[in-house]
Amino acid sequence: MKKGNKWGKIYLAVVFIVLYAPIFYLMFYSFNAGGKMSHFSGFTLDYYKEVFQDTRLLIIVLNTFVVALLSSVIATIFGVLGALAIRYMPRPFTKNSLLSLNNVLIVSPDVVIGASFLIFFTILGVKLGFISVLVSHIAFSIPIVVLMVLPKLQEMSPTLIDAARDLGASQWNVLSKVILPYIAPGVFAGFFMALTYSLDDFAVTFFVTGNGFTTLSVEIYSRARQGISLSINALSTLLFLFTIVLVIGYYFINKRNAKGTQGLEVPPK
C-alpha cells in the first residue's frame, strides 16, 4: 500500500512538473532584459510597463473582462434554471435526454462549436463583434454551470423541501430560502468555471470575433505569430496570476458557503 502510494505521489509530481514548467519558464523570462527566451541577462520590468502603456491592449483587456463577467452571470442564471429543470423532470427519458444533450456540448470540439456559431450568425445576418462573442460564450458556459450545480441538487435531501412546504413556504420561498442557499457552492463553482473558460477561450472566439473587437486570447495569438515579444510573456504572467487569485477567492467563498449550508441539514428521524 505504501509502495503504491509512493508511486502515486511520483506520478502526480511528474504531471504537475509537465503542466507548470512551461508556465514558470514563460514567467521567468518575462523579466529578462535581454529580450529573448534564453540566456537571462538581467532583471527588468520594462515589458510590464509596456503592457500597461499600450492603450489598445488595455481596451482589449476591458473587452475580455466585460464579456467574461456578463457571459458568466447570464450563463449562471440559465444554468441554475436548467439544472433545476433536469433534476425535477418527472419523466426519466426526457431527463436523461436533456442531460445527454448538455454533456454533448461539453465534449464537442471547440472548433466545431465555433464554426457552427459562425455559420449561425452569418445566416441570421448578425454582425460579428461584441454581441456574437457574448452569445457564444454564454452558450458554451451554460452546460458547465449545469454540471456544477446538478451534483449539489442531487445530494440535497428531499426532506428539506418537504419540511419547508409543511411550514407553509411558497414555491418562491422554497427556491430562494432552501434550494438556492444549499446549492450556493455549486452555483459559485459554475460561475467561476464559466468565468475562467470565457477568459481562456480562443477557438470559439476566433471564429465569431470581427473587425474592431477582439479578446486577449485572440490578441496574444496574433502577436505571437509576429515573432517573440516578451510583452506577451508579461501579459500571460498577469493573466496567470489573476487566475490564481480567482481560484483562491473561489476556495474561500466555497468554504464559507459550505459552513452556511451545514445548518440546513435535517437530522434523520
Side-chain angles (χ1 to χ4, degrees), residues 78-100 102 145-162 165 174-175 179-180 182-183:
F78 282 100
V80 170
L81 295 176
L84 289 169
I86 293 174
R87 175 66 179 86
Y88 297 107
M89 186 69 63
R91 297 181 179 179
F93 176 78
T94 307
K95 179 179 180 178
N96 293 331
S97 298
L98 290 175
L99 187 58
S100 299
N102 183 81
V145 178
V146 171
L147 287 184
M148 293 292 104
V149 175
L150 263 180
K152 295 299 295 181
L153 284 171
Q154 291 170 346
E155 73 179 35
M156 185 176 65
S157 175
T159 56
L160 290 174
I161 299 176
D162 294 338
R165 288 174 177 169
V174 170
L175 176 63
I179 297 178
L180 289 181
Y182 190 93
I183 66 173

Side-chain angles (χ1 to χ4, degrees), residues 245-260:
V245 171
L246 282 181
V247 171
I248 295 173
Y250 162 69
Y251 170 78
F252 285 107
I253 292 174
N254 191 30
K255 189 175 181 180
R256 185 184 64 181
N257 288 333
K259 291 180 179 179

Side-chain angles (χ1 to χ4, degrees), residues 238-251:
L238 293 173
L239 285 176
F240 177 75
L241 294 177
F242 178 76
T243 304
I244 294 296
V245 171
L246 282 181
V247 171
I248 295 173
Y250 162 69
Y251 170 78

Side-chain angles (χ1 to χ4, degrees), residues 108-115 117-118 121 132-133 135-137 139-140 200-209 215 217-218:
S108 295
D110 289 344
V111 174
V112 174
I113 296 175
F117 274 117
L118 176 60
F121 291 130
S132 61
V133 173
V135 172
S136 301
H137 282 222
F140 70 65
D200 296 339
D201 180 74
F202 167 75
V204 176
T205 307
F206 183 78
F207 278 95
V208 298
T209 192
T215 61
S217 58
V218 178

Side-chain angles (χ1 to χ4, degrees), residues 7 82 92 95 116 123 130 141 146-147 198 250 256 258:
W7 284 110
K95 179 179 180 178
S116 300
I123 293 174
F130 174 76
S141 296
V146 171
L147 287 184
S198 178
Y250 162 69
R256 185 184 64 181

Side-chain angles (χ1 to χ4, degrees), residues 21-38:
I23 297 176
F24 288 119
Y25 179 83
L26 178 147
M27 295 173 64
F28 177 74
Y29 279 103
S30 68
F31 302 101
N32 186 17
K36 297 181 179 179
M37 291 284 286
S38 59

